[in-house]
Amino acid sequence: MRGLLLISALLFAAGTTQAATSTPETQTLDRIVNATIARYHLPGIAVGVIENGKVVYTRTAGETVAGSGEKITPRTLFKIASNSKAMTTALLGRLVDQGKLRWDDPVTKYLPQFQMHDPWVTANMRVADLLTHSSGLPEGGGDLMLWPEPNAFTRADIIHALRYIEPGYSFRSQYQYDNLLYVVAGEVAAAAGGAPYETLMRREVFEPLGLGRCQVGSWSRDSVGNVAQPHYRHDGRNVPMHEDGATIPAITSAPAGGIRCDLADMLVWARNWLVPTPAQLQWLSWPQRATLQAPHMLIPVSTQRRQWDNTHVMAYGYGWRMADIDGAWAVWHTGTLGGMYSMLALLPDRQSGFVFMINGEAEDARTVLGEVLMKHFTAPQERRGVAWYADALDEQAKQRPASASAPDTSTRQPAGSAELAAFTGIYRDPWLGEAAVCPRGGQVRFAAKKSPRLAGTVMRLGSRYFVHWDDNGVDPAAWMDFRTTGDGPTTLRMAKLDPQGDFSSDYEDLRFERVRDCP
């Protein structure tokens, strides 16, 4: 184990030495990164590029906290968000290699309490089915039990709640991205491996690969040090949001998106897939590596991807996406988590790839930078740069119909307690639990019992109501539609104000019923 750590460290050191030399290629990459930073006013970024198995470029810029003076370095920790999924599947692959788990084992073998909405699906759900986003769960279904953090939902709560989430399509019939089943996969790993998920991740992934800075579970911010904080854009500046306290708590969502790593470790992680050493092949066998990055569920190819990348087929493996891009086979994943964005992309046949992490609002920045870095390998003759792709995204946004955009809320007014008197009360959803819609100071407040950041004031916009969240980091706002029918209970349905809002804000899956009066 110590030998593998030393090998990884030496390989990374060799790559950074090479990257330190200015060449036409590194100058080109600098221009790409600089243009992205300037176009999107990023607070901080860390970028690494691998070519023919060697790290040929690293670049960091900006600050861990805007205005702090603490510079981003290759050892700055970022939330890698859904790039955690590939680490979770690698952990499962380790357990398969060790004979403790089989991909086609039923989930109930390890978690007898596991139930989906459909009993047949429960009985036939394999470990592999947890990983391919084809379970029948609607896109982002149940994600409000994971985010916004912190909240009081446990992994046991999630496993119990799955039986109440109505399917959006039939089992194994299509791709719809979800996070909850990766949390379940983490609990399968814990049951098969005989230790908590966090313990297994450190023991079976971080330590053998020498990922000495990667963190999962609870840890000390000050002891570890050099931790990037998320930001949002407000009035033309980057504003820190939900900065870490002295102790980083363990989070329920860790198997789906709760790991933090730095650039140095992410490059070691990436090279493990591109040019594994003999020791790394002992860590995870070729058969398991091939299984993780093989196509298991087809993903529809978007018009944009066809036009930009000449893509014909796209699929999901176990914690990885994959597609043909300009005739090259690419394997990648992205990560999004409250003011932090990441991307890790591999071109296995070329032993090349890249990784970057950003600590700010950067959805378009990630798309653009990922596209231009990919073209650096797959279409180097192409002259479209950051500005071209950024302009194309801006034009797409302008062309969206009004119905596909968030309404203007500038005329909103707080809803009076008198006008909503018939609808105030304590409501309950089968999986999110209780939420209060109760008067306070002449207004009406919404507050979810187990998710304290889901709290805000009920507003009137025209003839409709919505909840405006107190916390700027909770986005988007949510429509509130109350209904009373005959002698039945009053119900509350919710939906995103912005149809383009993050699918993890799955208000549409809530089924609130009024259960009692406000206290």
Side-chain angles (χ1 to χ4, degrees):
M1 193 174 294
R2 289 191 184 96
L4 181 52
L5 190 155
L6 178 60
I7 289 169
S8 298
L10 290 173
L11 288 169
F12 179 73
T16 54
T17 300
Q18 188 172 13
T21 304
S22 179
T23 66
E25 181 178 27
T26 61
Q27 292 169 11
T28 297
L29 292 168
D30 270 335
R31 286 194 293 271
I32 292 169
V33 174
N34 289 340
T36 306
I37 294 170
R39 178 68 177 247
Y40 293 103
H41 311 288
L42 302 179
I45 188 171
V47 185
V49 177
I50 300 166
E51 191 165 351
N52 296 321
K54 297 180 180 179
V55 179
V56 299
Y57 177 84
T58 59
R59 172 73 187 282
T60 60
E63 300 171 311
T64 59
V65 179
S68 70
E70 184 178 349
K71 300 299 183 183
I72 301 288
T73 76
R75 305 308 278 175
T76 299
L77 288 178
F78 289 80
K79 297 176 181 179
I80 66 170
S82 286
N83 274 300
S84 305
K85 289 180 170 68
M87 293 188 175
T88 296
T89 61
L91 169 59
L92 291 167
R94 283 273 288 171
L95 296 172
V96 173
D97 270 345
Q98 294 167 5
K100 297 177 180 178
L101 178 76
R102 291 174 57 92
W103 295 116
D104 59 358
D105 280 341
V107 175
T108 52
K109 175 179 177 179
Y110 303 95
L111 304 174
Q113 73 276 30
F114 172 82
Q115 289 186 40
M116 297 292 284
H117 194 272
D118 184 328
W120 188 91
V121 174
T122 300
N124 287 276
M125 182 80 76
R126 305 166 303 160
V127 173
D129 293 315
L130 299 173
L131 311 175
T132 58
H133 307 293
S134 58
S135 68
L137 284 181
E139 185 179 37
D143 274 4
L144 287 174
M145 288 186 285
L146 299 178
W147 300 290
E149 294 169 331
N151 61 55
F153 291 101
T154 66
R155 291 171 190 165
D157 290 335
I158 288 169
I159 292 171
H160 180 77
L162 282 166
R163 68 198 67 187
Y164 302 116
I165 301 177
E166 298 177 11
Y169 57 96
S170 58
F171 185 39
R172 298 179 186 152
S173 67
Q174 61 177 276
Y175 171 91
Q176 291 287 335
Y177 195 87
D178 77 81
N179 288 292
L180 293 194
L181 293 184
Y182 268 80
V183 175
V184 176
E187 291 302 276
V188 167
Y197 168 83
E198 289 79 4
T199 300
L200 291 172
M201 181 56 63
R202 296 188 195 101
R203 188 181 76 203
E204 301 292 337
V205 180
F206 296 171
E207 292 177 11
L209 291 181
L211 307 182
R213 290 274 297 165
C214 288
Q215 301 293 327
V216 69
S218 179
W219 48 281
S220 168
R221 177 199 61 195
D222 298 331
S223 295
V224 172
N226 199 356
V227 183
Q229 301 300 311
H231 295 75
Y232 68 97
R233 292 287 293 175
H234 181 68
D235 291 338
R237 62 191 184 95
N238 292 306
V239 180
M241 56 188 282
H242 304 295
E243 295 184 63
D244 293 317
T247 299
I248 312 299
I251 54 176
T252 300
S253 62
I259 293 172
R260 303 197 203 193
C261 292
D262 65 16
L263 178 63
D265 281 352
M266 288 301 286
L267 286 168
V268 172
W269 171 247
R271 294 182 75 254
N272 154 75
W273 298 104
L274 294 171
V275 283
T277 65
Q280 288 167 341
L281 288 175
Q282 288 183 357
W283 169 74
L284 189 66
S285 67
W286 275 122
Q288 297 315 316
R289 290 167 182 268
T291 297
L292 298 183
Q293 294 187 352
H296 292 285
M297 172 52 59
L298 290 176
I299 302 174
V301 178
S302 68
T303 300
Q304 175 179 293
R305 191 168 290 279
R306 285 196 297 271
Q307 293 175 345
W308 286 10
D309 297 334
N310 193 31
T311 291
H312 298 80
V313 64
M314 184 172 171
Y316 203 87
Y318 296 166
W320 297 93
R321 296 186 184 99
M322 52 210 66
D324 62 305
I325 297 178
D326 302 316
W329 188 245
V331 178
W332 79 96
H333 214 287
T334 56
T336 306
L337 192 57
M340 285 203 177
Y341 288 76
S342 66
M343 182 173 182
L344 171 61
L346 309 172
L347 292 158
D349 296 337
R350 304 185 184 195
Q351 298 182 330
S352 300
F354 59 85
V355 60
F356 61 83
M357 297 170 287
I358 301 169
N359 64 331
E361 283 189 13
E363 183 172 4
D364 283 359
R366 180 180 61 198
T367 299
V368 169
L369 181 57
E371 189 69 23
V372 178
L373 289 177
M374 184 63 73
K375 295 298 185 186
H376 178 73
F377 291 107
T378 64
Q381 75 286 353
E382 186 178 286
R383 297 188 180 277
R384 296 173 178 174
V386 168
W388 189 93
Y389 288 106
D391 289 345
L393 290 181
D394 288 348
E395 186 59 30
Q396 287 178 20
K398 291 177 184 176
Q399 297 301 321
R400 289 192 194 109
S403 60
S405 302
D408 179 2
T409 62
S410 60
T411 61
R412 68 183 186 272
Q413 295 291 330
S417 55
E419 66 182 289
L420 282 177
F423 302 113
T424 57
I426 305 300
Y427 287 76
R428 190 177 190 287
D429 173 78
W431 56 266
L432 191 69
E434 289 190 355
V437 182
C438 292
R440 184 188 299 172
Q443 300 178 1
V444 178
R445 298 276 299 167
F446 177 98
K449 183 177 181 179
K450 298 186 84 169
S451 189
R453 288 177 60 198
L454 286 180
T457 300
V458 179
M459 299 287 184
R460 185 188 340 101
L461 184 65
S463 60
R464 295 188 71 182
Y465 298 99
F466 73 94
V467 58
H468 178 73
W469 306 115
D470 298 336
D471 190 328
N472 287 327
V474 180
D475 188 64
W479 291 116
M480 303 179 69
D481 294 313
F482 300 96
R483 296 180 185 175
T484 302
T485 55
D487 295 330
T490 299
T491 63
L492 169 61
R493 298 291 181 266
M494 303 178 77
K496 287 181 279 291
L497 221 69
D498 181 357
Q500 303 298 319
D502 193 324
F503 61 76
S504 286
S505 300
D506 61 321
Y507 310 124
E508 293 83 357
D509 297 324
L510 297 170
R511 300 289 183 268
F512 280 115
E513 290 188 357
R514 189 179 183 278
V515 292
R516 62 181 184 276
D517 294 338
C518 292

